[in-house]
């Protein structure tokens, strides 16, 4: 998964803002200036409305990520909490936070800060637990394919494949399962088996590719 860091900086820092290199994109997003600039960018893309329509959201994600159009539509559908084909401010901010966390190697921090919001979003207000498809959606946002997510969880917990796929996931287990997987993603850039070369390539000092 590639994340356009220059676009993130434009969204979060805004014009004529001095950069603070001691903070990551994710941390800067959650400052008062970061939130204000991100909201200004959101309003600009809404064309006077309170929602970002599907076309604007698609163009935004094309520029921000390396997702293809089919994947982009799935992400928009996932974050469309009102089932209207649009993104409201809360959903947009959550989406930017997810990719800022990925670029900053702080997806675990995203889980701590926004895990409950993501869980509620994935539940779609229809249930209090997640089925397997809903559960794997956060991994999809971060570019983790289903098979790799499953293998990561099976390696870390005493649960078998059948149980993981069939048993509903509550919020506690949602956060627990993703914590160990995202910790690997932050440290190594992968959740699958890695070699000594991978450990060097995906050191915590590295960031996502600038596209």
């Amino acid at each position: 998964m590639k994340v356009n860091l220059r676009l993130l900086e434009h969204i979060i820092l805004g014009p004529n803002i001095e950069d603070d290199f001691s903070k990551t994109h994710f941390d800067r997003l959650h400052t008062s200036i970061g939130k204000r600039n991100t909201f200004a960018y959101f309003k600009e893309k809404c064309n006077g409305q309170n929602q970002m329509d599907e076309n604007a959201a698609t163009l935004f994600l094309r520029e921000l990520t390396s997702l293809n159009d089919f994947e982009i539509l799935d992400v928009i559908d996932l974050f469309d909490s009102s089932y209207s084909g649009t993104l409201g401010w809360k959903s947009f901010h959550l989406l930017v936070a997810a990719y800022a966390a990925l670029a900053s190697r702080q997806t675990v921090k995203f889980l701590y800060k926004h895990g409950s919001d993501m869980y509620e979003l994935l539940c779609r207000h229809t249930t209090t637990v997640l089925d397997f498809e809903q559960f794997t959606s956060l991994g999809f946002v971060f570019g983790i394919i289903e098979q790799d997510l499953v293998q990561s969880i099976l390696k870390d917990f005493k649960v078998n494949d059948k149980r993981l796929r069939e048993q509903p996931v509550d919020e506690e287990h949602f956060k627990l399962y993703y914590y160990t997987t995202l910790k690997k993603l932050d440290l190594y850039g992968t959740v699958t088996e890695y070699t000594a070369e991978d450990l060097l390539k995906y050191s915590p000092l590295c960031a996502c590719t600038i596209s």
Side-chain angles (χ1 to χ4, degrees):
M1 168 75 72
K2 294 181 180 180
V3 178
N4 186 337
L5 300 185
R6 293 188 180 90
L7 178 58
L8 272 181
E9 289 170 359
H10 172 71
I11 294 169
I12 298 168
L13 297 177
N16 303 317
I17 297 294
E18 292 186 3
D19 199 356
D20 180 359
F21 291 101
S22 67
K23 293 182 179 179
T24 65
H25 291 79
F26 183 78
D27 289 335
R28 286 179 294 188
L29 173 64
H30 292 87
T31 63
S32 58
I33 292 176
K35 289 180 180 178
R36 185 177 69 219
N37 290 332
T38 304
F39 182 71
Y41 179 90
F42 170 75
K43 292 297 291 183
E44 177 187 339
K45 298 300 179 180
C46 287
N47 296 317
Q49 304 299 315
N50 293 321
Q51 305 283 331
M52 180 182 288
D53 63 32
E54 185 177 281
N55 183 57
T58 299
L59 293 174
F60 166 68
L61 285 171
R62 279 179 185 168
E63 186 177 1
L64 181 65
T65 72
S66 57
L67 295 169
N68 63 45
D69 282 354
F70 292 106
E71 293 169 332
I72 285 173
L73 291 176
D74 285 340
V75 170
I76 293 172
D77 182 63
L78 177 64
F79 282 82
D80 175 18
S81 59
S82 62
Y83 305 96
S84 61
T86 63
L87 296 179
W89 160 242
K90 182 178 179 180
S91 293
F92 179 78
H93 182 265
L94 195 60
L95 182 60
V96 174
Y99 288 115
L102 183 62
S104 304
R105 294 292 177 87
Q106 290 182 303
T107 58
V108 169
K109 196 168 184 178
F110 173 87
L111 187 67
Y112 278 123
K113 197 170 189 67
H114 299 294
S116 294
D117 292 331
M118 279 303 308
Y119 184 83
E120 180 181 345
L121 186 66
L122 296 175
C123 282
R124 312 300 281 180
H125 309 293
T126 59
T127 179
T128 57
V129 293
L130 302 177
D131 62 26
F132 181 74
E133 182 178 357
Q134 291 169 313
F135 169 70
T136 59
S137 294
L138 179 58
F140 170 74
V141 171
F142 287 135
I144 305 171
I145 64 174
E146 180 184 301
Q147 181 180 355
D148 290 346
L149 176 62
V150 170
Q151 290 305 313
S152 174
I153 294 170
L154 296 182
K155 185 177 181 179
D156 294 333
F157 297 94
K158 294 181 178 179
V159 58
N160 60 50
D161 186 281
K162 186 175 187 294
R163 180 183 176 188
L164 180 63
R165 293 176 183 275
E166 296 181 357
Q167 181 172 304
V169 179
D170 60 20
E171 184 173 350
E172 179 182 359
H173 283 85
F174 168 77
K175 292 179 178 178
L176 185 63
Y177 288 155
Y178 268 111
Y179 170 75
T180 59
T181 297
L182 295 180
K183 188 174 182 180
K184 298 171 194 174
L185 185 65
D186 287 345
L187 288 175
Y188 310 121
T190 177
V191 301
T192 56
E193 295 297 327
Y194 36 81
T195 64
E197 288 76 15
D198 292 326
L199 298 184
L200 292 174
K201 180 180 179 182
Y202 295 113
S203 71
L205 297 179
C206 296
C208 289
T209 303
I210 301 177
S211 57

